[in-house]
Amino acid sequence: NLKLEFSNITKDAAFAAKRVLTLIKYYLGHIDLSEHLVAHKKSEWSQDKTNWKPLPLLLSIFSYGYSTYPLGENSAVSIQRFLDENIEPFTAFRYLHKAKSEDIPQYQWIDATIAAELAIKEFFIRLKPDLETLLLEVPSPPTHKLYGSILESFGFEKSPKVAEIQKGVEIRNRLVHRPEVVNISLDKARKYVHDVEIAIYHLMLLLYPNDPIFKFYYDTLTSHSSLASVEIS
């Protein structure tokens, strides 16, 4: 009975911890942060402080790495608000992180394009949930139109990277169908990933205009200044 009760408690704790980790990883740009929880099984319990028994399971979380956004009051407030409002990161961020971690230019390009295509659909679905079936079940307009004229039709400014995304989709399609004729340098791929990242954070800033995290990222990315790395644990 104790084991079952403890298991239920740790299951809820693990779910909550993973939500926090996911938000930190994707909204604070912490690419190397693992989402896997670590089970530590050496803790024990005792009623008389003489006879000790092992706990069925104790969940602990640890990680090390670098974040491009410092953990502090602003980030804590933003993360807590996302938790309170049940806001989950775009799936697009997973592909953006894959692209940024990849060493092969062709794969970088493909992952970045997937991230761009997912992000604009997730933007409109979050903005207007009624559009979900239309965007997911029927052929959607070209990605560059979603980032351009269609975004403007909803009262927003078009993406600053419409042209880059249009060209990026064209190159991705050639990579998928005729990879042998497409030559992409690592620098060109990294520049494209950077452009897609700007486009995605532009969308996040349109959705959450008062959020300091998204404003920081967008301003930093568009200024072409290097992101300061802040160690977190």
Side-chain angles (χ1 to χ4, degrees):
N1 289 338
L2 176 61
K3 184 175 181 178
L4 178 61
E5 181 180 355
F6 192 80
S7 176
N8 289 333
I9 294 172
T10 55
K11 181 174 65 176
D12 292 340
F15 175 77
K18 191 155 189 175
R19 286 191 64 205
V20 174
L21 279 176
T22 301
L23 289 168
I24 291 175
K25 178 179 175 68
Y26 294 109
Y27 280 163
L28 300 187
H30 194 350
I31 296 176
D32 295 327
L33 181 63
S34 173
E35 294 179 63
H36 297 290
L37 305 182
V38 178
H40 177 60
K41 299 181 179 179
K42 294 184 179 179
S43 296
E44 299 178 325
W45 66 277
S46 173
Q47 289 182 315
D48 56 13
K49 297 185 179 181
T50 300
N51 299 309
W52 291 89
K53 299 179 180 180
L55 282 172
L57 178 65
L58 177 63
L59 286 177
S60 61
I61 305 161
F62 66 89
S63 180
Y64 66 90
Y66 296 91
S67 173
T68 51
Y69 190 94
L71 289 176
E73 183 176 350
N74 284 340
S75 57
V77 170
S78 294
I79 294 298
Q80 186 61 58
R81 181 167 65 84
F82 292 137
L83 290 170
D84 293 341
E85 297 178 12
N86 201 30
I87 296 173
E88 300 294 337
F90 281 1
T91 303
F93 278 104
R94 294 182 179 272
Y95 288 91
L96 178 63
H97 278 206
K98 283 182 63 180
K100 295 178 73 172
S101 302
E102 181 59 66
D103 295 325
I104 301 176
Q106 289 84 351
Y107 294 158
Q108 278 188 311
W109 202 282
I110 292 171
D111 286 333
T113 304
I114 293 173
E117 291 172 335
L118 286 173
I120 190 63
K121 290 182 179 180
E122 291 179 291
F123 168 85
F124 280 117
I125 290 171
R126 194 164 293 188
L127 179 71
K128 300 285 186 181
D130 291 344
L131 293 175
E132 181 172 3
T133 301
L134 184 65
L135 287 169
L136 300 183
E137 298 297 334
V138 301
S140 60
T143 304
H144 70 276
K145 288 190 176 182
L146 289 169
Y147 275 95
S149 58
I150 296 177
L151 195 58
E152 288 180 311
S153 72
F154 280 82
F156 299 106
E157 62 179 1
K158 68 179 181 180
S159 173
K161 296 298 179 180
V162 172
E164 289 83 354
I165 289 175
Q166 181 177 8
K167 186 67 175 177
V169 172
E170 293 172 357
I171 293 176
R172 188 278 309 272
N173 291 341
R174 292 206 302 271
L175 278 171
V176 172
H177 298 291
R178 299 183 63 190
E180 70 281 356
V181 301
V182 182
N183 184 22
I184 300 174
S185 68
L186 187 57
D187 287 342
K188 184 177 180 180
R190 286 174 175 170
K191 173 63 168 58
Y192 177 58
V193 172
H194 182 77
D195 289 337
V196 169
E197 189 171 20
I198 289 175
I200 292 176
Y201 276 103
H202 177 255
L203 294 178
M204 302 308 297
L205 199 54
L206 293 179
L207 273 179
Y208 310 105
N210 299 317
D211 189 87
I213 290 179
F214 300 133
K215 187 176 188 308
F216 167 85
Y217 272 111
Y218 184 70
D219 290 346
T220 304
L221 289 166
T222 53
S223 69
H224 298 286
S225 62
S226 60
L227 294 176
S229 294
V230 179
E231 188 171 1
I232 69 171
S233 60

